Amino acid sequence: MDPAGKVALVSGGASGLGAATVRALVARGARVAILDRARDTGEALARELGAAHTLYVPVDVTDDAGMVAAVAAARSAFGAVHIAVGCAGIGFAGKVVSQGAPMPLGNFAMTVQINLVGMFNFVRCAAAAMAENPPDDGGERGAIVMTASIAAFDGQIGQAAYSASKAGVAGMTLPIARELARHGIRINTIAPGTFDTPMLAQLPEPARVALGQMVPFHSRLGRPAEFAALALHMVDNAMLNGETVRLDGALRMAPK
Ligand SMILES: NC(=O)c1ccc[n+]([C@@H]2O[C@H](COP(=O)([O-])OP(=O)(O)OC[C@H]3O[C@@H](n4cnc5c(N)ncnc54)[C@H](O)[C@@H]3O)[C@@H](O)[C@H]2O)c1
């Protein structure tokens, strides 16, 4: 699906990988709704890229009715929804047992609620809107990209909650692709390694450098534009469907 002239939704589009994807979609001629709970950064990006190309829509991805309303608002502003890229998520680290005490169950539940349930909430609403589109020349009505993590496959100590949430995203990719095939909607997932975004900016600089050096090639943190390029390719390539693609420079995370 060619993004030119299409309408895209990007959850988590106010920052990091999502913001880079918003920029790439606008550069390819799409109009983009930025769905994010971060109002300041969301509005600032929409202002920078211009009201003709972008719209900030405040939403918490865990909000059932809020997501229905957010997708409806984007659709009514831009007329349709053809592309959805789900980037909203949080990083959480915590051991199962720490200093003799079990991890507070709420920490695990919150991580799964945002990263997995929130991703599904976004996808279900976007897919329902896409199913209303007339098919394009290739028979497509929409293309969806979700964001998992390599922690879905080789999570480190302390990543039980985060890995579970991201493995859920990878796991639902194929059944959703199979179901939405009859609507002419494709869905794929990117599993990023370590990328240079505000999420990783929380780490001290030596830790960020060390993370980059763990990557076989290129031995650095990934650039958000590299994530966006793969997201756009997943939108472009009509035969790419139901797949999770690692984008990690051959990084395999050690236990800790
Ligand atoms: N940066 C990395 O190295 C890396 C690696 C693997 C996976 N990922 C995943 O990529 C995605 C984007 O990460 P990033 O590094 O760009 O992070 P980021 O913190 O820069 O951006 C995340 C965005 O999601 C939004 N968000 C978070 N919770 C939300 C909620 N409940 N409702 C609405 N918006 C919400 C935030 O406001 C923020 O704008 C995440 O799902 C993350 O798990 C990142």
Side-chain angles (χ1 to χ4, degrees), residues 102-163:
M103 181 201 293
L105 193 57
N107 290 350
F108 188 95
M110 177 195 62
T111 307
V112 172
Q113 191 66 20
I114 294 175
N115 289 355
L116 175 57
V117 180
M119 186 66 73
F120 181 76
N121 192 24
F122 174 66
V123 167
R124 75 185 177 105
C125 295
M130 289 171 183
E132 299 289 316
N133 294 337
D136 68 11
D137 291 347
E140 293 201 358
R141 290 188 173 83
I144 304 172
V145 178
M146 301 189 290
T147 307
S149 164
I150 60 169
F153 312 110
D154 32 84
Q156 298 188 293
I157 290 170
Q159 289 194 305
Y162 186 72
S163 294

Side-chain angles (χ1 to χ4, degrees), residues 46-246:
R47 237 188 341 266
E48 181 200 324
L49 296 175
H53 307 289
T54 50
L55 171 73
Y56 168 67
V57 183
V59 68
D60 188 311
V61 292
T62 63
D63 183 344
D64 179 343
M67 183 59 79
V68 173
V71 171
R75 191 170 171 221
S76 108
F78 288 145
V81 174
H82 307 98
I83 296 163
V85 183
C87 294
I90 57 160
F92 171 76
K95 290 184 179 173
V96 180
V97 179
S98 180
Q99 295 176 337
M103 181 201 293
L105 193 57
N107 290 350
F108 188 95
M110 177 195 62
T111 307
V112 172
Q113 191 66 20
I114 294 175
N115 289 355
L116 175 57
V117 180
M119 186 66 73
F120 181 76
N121 192 24
F122 174 66
V123 167
R124 75 185 177 105
C125 295
M130 289 171 183
E132 299 289 316
N133 294 337
D136 68 11
D137 291 347
E140 293 201 358
R141 290 188 173 83
I144 304 172
V145 178
M146 301 189 290
T147 307
S149 164
I150 60 169
F153 312 110
D154 32 84
Q156 298 188 293
I157 290 170
Q159 289 194 305
Y162 186 72
S163 294
S165 70
K166 295 300 189 178
V169 173
M172 69 182 174
T173 306
L174 182 62
I176 296 175
R178 287 172 160 169
E179 178 187 332
L180 297 184
R182 68 190 179 90
H183 296 291
I185 300 168
R186 291 181 296 107
I187 182 165
N188 292 286
T189 294
I190 301 174
T194 43
F195 276 69
D196 196 5
T197 71
M199 190 180 266
L200 284 196
Q202 298 159 7
L203 298 174
E205 184 59 19
R208 283 161 37 83
V209 171
L211 273 178
Q213 285 169 347
M214 285 164 58
V215 183
F217 190 68
H218 293 261
S219 295
R220 57 167 171 78
L221 297 177
R223 296 170 184 142
E226 292 164 341
F227 172 94
L230 179 55
L232 268 284
H233 182 77
M234 286 176 163
V235 171
D236 280 324
N237 192 320
M239 274 310 279
L240 195 47
N241 195 11
E243 186 57 273
T244 296
V245 177
R246 295 180 70 123

